Amino acid sequence: MTLVAALVLLAGLGYGSLLLPMPYLVAAPGVTLDTIGEQEDGQPIIGIEGAEGYEHEGSLSMVTVQYAGGPQHRLNLFTLVTAWISPSQAVLPEELLFPAGRSQQEVSERQTVQMNDSQTKATAAALNQLDIDYEAVPRVAEAVEGMPAEGIVEPDDVIVAVDGDPVPTSAGGEGPEELVGSAYVVDRVSARDAGEPVALTLERDGEEVEVEVETVSNDDGSAAVGVLITDDMDFPVEIDITVGEIGGPSAGMMFALGIIDRLSEEGITGGASVAGSGTISTDGRVGGISGVPQKMVSAERDGAEYFLVAADSCSQVAQSAAYGELDVVRVETLTDAVDALETIREGGDDLPRCE
């Protein structure tokens, strides 16, 4: 009877442990959304005003990851083990999406801000690619506490010049390689040796102010002064992107390609079904993202033939259950993506692929 009681107790404890909430997330393939397609009401996902908008065959789909779990909705061990066994899902530490001290609402709000920011950067990058002029004026958002610029540079200061050289603000006409606005400022500051001061000319309350700020070393060894800069954008074309409740920055590249397609008389896909993921900067650099294995499954499930992935995320490709089912194209810049689509459109096979 003692043995039977012990076995019953052990079985009860084992079953109970399977139901205990655990601080982990489950990442699963999410929805895909064709950026050159339509919303449920028939309106285009990317709306164009102030210029001719075109519609073409093919698709340029952004892809998402669906997360389950979180501090307020923790999953039990049984669910996590089931997801761990699944070839299309992944189990991740909770803090990757919900850092300590940050509520679920704060994370959601941050992802909304990132989504809005990615749409603005995608518009700038697309107009750069198309050589369409726009204005980008660098404005100080915040001086980082404890950094050299604190107490010297103030929020809403406009950075007019760096080391006496005027900051170029007219973008687009010189092509995607021309640095303007905040990208120019960051490039000029980070290119010097850490510890070397930088002279900034600021416009503050209608007057010009000259300041000198010491630099320190960033984690990557580049110089920094501790200023967060945003660009006041003045676009000649109004771009309105509608994607519902989706957040985060990883659709930036696909937004930029969608805008290029909508503004181009000739479609850029040649009718192919293309999906992809990567952040975008105003000068067209494509940045790495997470969740590539699940995003590839989403893309393959919804009919994509090609998957454009940020070069920094190539290491994730072979982990996907859709590996070998998609033609995965490695992309470092928006120009790379446009060139790859041209190759696809012309029926070529000489594409940059992840090693």
Side-chain angles (χ1 to χ4, degrees):
M1 289 186 65
T2 301
L3 179 59
V4 170
L7 288 174
V8 170
L9 179 60
L10 183 61
L13 290 173
Y15 178 74
S17 68
L18 290 177
L19 302 180
L20 287 175
M22 305 291 286
Y24 291 90
L25 305 171
V26 170
V31 300
T32 65
L33 199 62
D34 181 10
T35 63
I36 58 174
E38 296 181 344
Q39 306 172 49
E40 291 183 359
D41 61 3
Q43 295 299 310
I45 286 174
I46 297 179
I48 306 289
E49 289 189 18
E52 183 73 29
Y54 301 91
E55 295 182 10
H56 306 109
E57 297 296 323
S59 61
L60 289 165
S61 297
M62 57 174 283
V63 285
T64 66
V65 176
Q66 178 178 314
Y67 291 99
Q72 299 175 3
H73 305 282
R74 283 186 169 159
L75 306 175
N76 58 50
L77 182 60
F78 179 78
T79 301
L80 295 174
V81 170
T82 303
W84 182 72
I85 295 172
S86 169
S88 62
Q89 299 183 9
V91 177
L92 308 169
E94 187 177 83
E95 59 267 21
L96 287 182
L97 193 61
F98 300 98
R102 185 171 293 172
S103 70
Q104 201 154 343
Q105 181 178 351
E106 289 173 325
V107 170
S108 178
E109 290 173 351
R110 180 170 181 268
Q111 289 183 330
T112 299
V113 169
Q114 290 176 327
M115 169 58 76
N116 294 336
D117 186 52
S118 75
Q119 293 178 2
T120 300
K121 289 178 177 177
T123 301
L127 296 184
N128 272 333
Q129 193 71 35
L130 294 169
D131 289 344
I132 298 175
D133 287 337
Y134 66 91
E135 293 293 316
V137 178
R139 184 180 298 273
V140 174
E142 180 184 354
V144 180
E145 185 178 355
M147 293 290 280
E150 185 184 14
I152 300 175
V153 176
E154 299 179 2
D156 290 329
D157 284 348
V158 174
I159 303 177
V160 177
V162 179
D163 294 328
D165 297 325
V167 176
T169 58
S170 180
E174 300 297 326
E177 293 78 17
E178 182 73 11
L179 295 179
V180 299
S182 62
Y184 174 87
V185 176
V186 171
D187 183 73
R188 286 292 302 271
V189 172
S190 62
R192 70 196 61 225
D193 294 331
E196 181 184 348
V198 57
L200 299 176
T201 304
L202 310 172
E203 184 181 293
R204 180 182 297 165
D205 298 327
E207 298 182 357
E208 285 196 357
V209 179
E210 303 283 346
V211 300
E212 185 174 276
V213 188
E214 296 294 325
T215 62
V216 294
S217 180
N218 258 327
D219 292 339
D220 62 2
S222 62
V225 296
V227 174
L228 302 180
I229 311 172
T230 185
D231 285 309
D232 289 344
M233 301 288 196
D234 185 9
F235 299 125
V237 181
E238 185 176 340
I239 308 291
D240 182 35
I241 304 176
T242 305
V243 294
E245 299 299 317
I246 299 171
S250 63
M253 173 181 62
M254 300 311 293
F255 287 147
L257 291 173
I259 293 168
I260 292 171
D261 189 83
R262 294 277 285 122
L263 289 174
S264 300
E265 191 169 350
E266 180 185 356
I268 63 174
T269 69
S273 296
V274 181
S277 190
T279 64
I280 197 73
S281 65
T282 56
D283 59 348
R285 287 174 288 115
V286 175
I289 37 79
S290 61
V292 171
Q294 288 72 46
K295 291 176 179 179
M296 287 174 60
V297 172
S298 300
E300 192 271 335
R301 176 199 65 203
D302 292 343
E305 306 164 76
Y306 299 89
F307 189 84
L308 308 182
V309 65
D312 289 344
S313 302
C314 271
S315 61
Q316 302 177 47
V317 169
Q319 303 168 25
S320 178
Y323 182 60
E325 302 297 325
L326 291 166
D327 199 339
V328 181
V329 181
R330 178 179 181 272
V331 174
E332 293 188 25
T333 66
L334 185 58
T335 299
D336 290 345
V338 171
D339 289 346
L341 290 175
E342 182 179 0
T343 300
I344 292 169
R345 190 168 65 249
E346 295 177 351
D349 189 53
D350 186 20
L351 294 167
R353 295 180 171 89
C354 293
E355 296 294 334

